[in-house]
Amino acid sequence: MLRQSLGDDIGFTSVDGCMKAGLRVIKFGGSLECSGTLKSCMDKAAAFYREGCVWVPGGGDFAEQVRQAQQRWHFDDITAHAMALLAMRQMALLMHSMHRDCVLAESIADTVRQLDLGKSVIWSPDVNELNQAGVPASWEVTSDSLAAWLAVRLGADELILIKSAEIPQAADVNKLAELGIVDRAFPGFTKKARFKIRVVNKEKLISPKFLRK
């Protein structure tokens, strides 16, 4: 039975891959920006994984502004989706300002190119690429699912989601979605994935258990 607890791995069925072994996609939850812990988590991740990494930003306060604007002006979810991706792009710029050794990349092709050059990458998602791939424009698809989509497209070996929330023991991805720890679309986006998944609380990021995995 699949299970998910702090630092535990989840395996899935095969997908197509395009990158060399060892690639990690690390998603930094938007709550890290709101709590002021984003940089410390980035510093820790950079110290643990010095190469073969793609960092995915959450939306943080920027995405929350989109939610509030939609409630006020009642525009459609397609517009909100595009604006939420702009929120992620703003977070990507913020993250880049904290780690200039990383490079920004918008497309899958550019991400692969930068990884081939030995760079660590901060993904700044392009709305046109996601639309062409058929990614739904819905609040059920947040940066969690987009990180999973990216991990699948890159053929990553591991996806790490860093969260402010406490992660319950022995909860699978469906339970995590039910609890709101990952978005509701996440189980679907990871259903055909083969990479390992770790959902880790920010305070546990440097625990010996986590590092041994």
Side-chain angles (χ1 to χ4, degrees), residues 15-31:
V15 295
D16 55 338
C18 63
M19 291 302 300
K20 60 185 180 181
L23 175 65
R24 291 181 179 89
V25 173
I26 305 176
K27 189 261 176 167
F28 296 84
S31 61

Side-chain angles (χ1 to χ4, degrees), residues 70-115:
Q70 187 180 32
Q71 291 173 0
R72 185 181 307 118
W73 296 105
H74 309 292
F75 47 79
D76 58 82
D77 281 348
I78 293 176
T79 301
H81 175 69
M83 293 172 69
L85 289 174
L86 287 175
M88 289 179 66
R89 290 168 69 90
Q90 290 182 82
M91 280 287 289
L93 289 169
L94 176 62
M95 291 170 65
H96 185 245
S97 74
M98 299 175 183
H99 271 262
R100 293 289 186 183
D101 52 319
C102 298
V103 296
L104 290 165
E106 298 183 358
S107 66
I108 297 292
D110 192 28
T111 299
V112 171
R113 187 162 46 249
Q114 296 297 339
L115 288 168

Side-chain angles (χ1 to χ4, degrees), residues 110-123:
D110 192 28
T111 299
V112 171
R113 187 162 46 249
Q114 296 297 339
L115 288 168
D116 284 344
L117 293 173
K119 304 289 188 180
S120 291
V121 177
I122 300 172
W123 186 48

Side-chain angles (χ1 to χ4, degrees), residues 29-36 38 58-69 83-84 86-88 90-91 94 139:
S31 61
L32 304 179
E33 184 266 328
C34 300
S35 66
L38 176 61
D61 280 334
F62 303 114
E64 185 57 33
Q65 290 296 317
V66 176
R67 291 179 185 273
Q68 293 177 12
M83 293 172 69
L86 287 175
M88 289 179 66
Q90 290 182 82
M91 280 287 289
L94 176 62
W139 282 113

Side-chain angles (χ1 to χ4, degrees), residues 148-208:
W149 176 85
L150 181 67
V152 170
R153 291 295 300 270
L154 294 176
D157 289 290
E158 188 170 27
L159 171 63
I160 301 172
L161 306 181
I162 304 174
K163 298 280 186 175
S164 293
E166 291 297 325
I167 312 303
Q169 296 286 329
D172 64 12
V173 292
N174 293 298
K175 184 62 175 180
L176 293 174
E178 180 184 325
L179 293 172
I181 294 173
V182 299
D183 65 53
R184 292 179 62 182
F186 189 79
F189 274 82
T190 55
K191 185 177 181 180
K192 295 183 178 180
R194 189 154 138 190
F195 45 76
K196 298 174 182 177
I197 294 180
R198 304 190 202 187
V199 183
V200 60
N201 175 270
K202 62 185 181 182
E203 302 299 333
K204 305 294 186 180
L205 183 58
I206 59 173
S207 72

Side-chain angles (χ1 to χ4, degrees), residues 35-54:
S35 66
T37 57
L38 176 61
K39 187 176 188 305
S40 63
C41 287
M42 291 170 61
D43 291 344
K44 292 170 187 175
F48 299 158
Y49 309 118
R50 297 186 180 277
E51 60 183 25
C53 284
V54 179

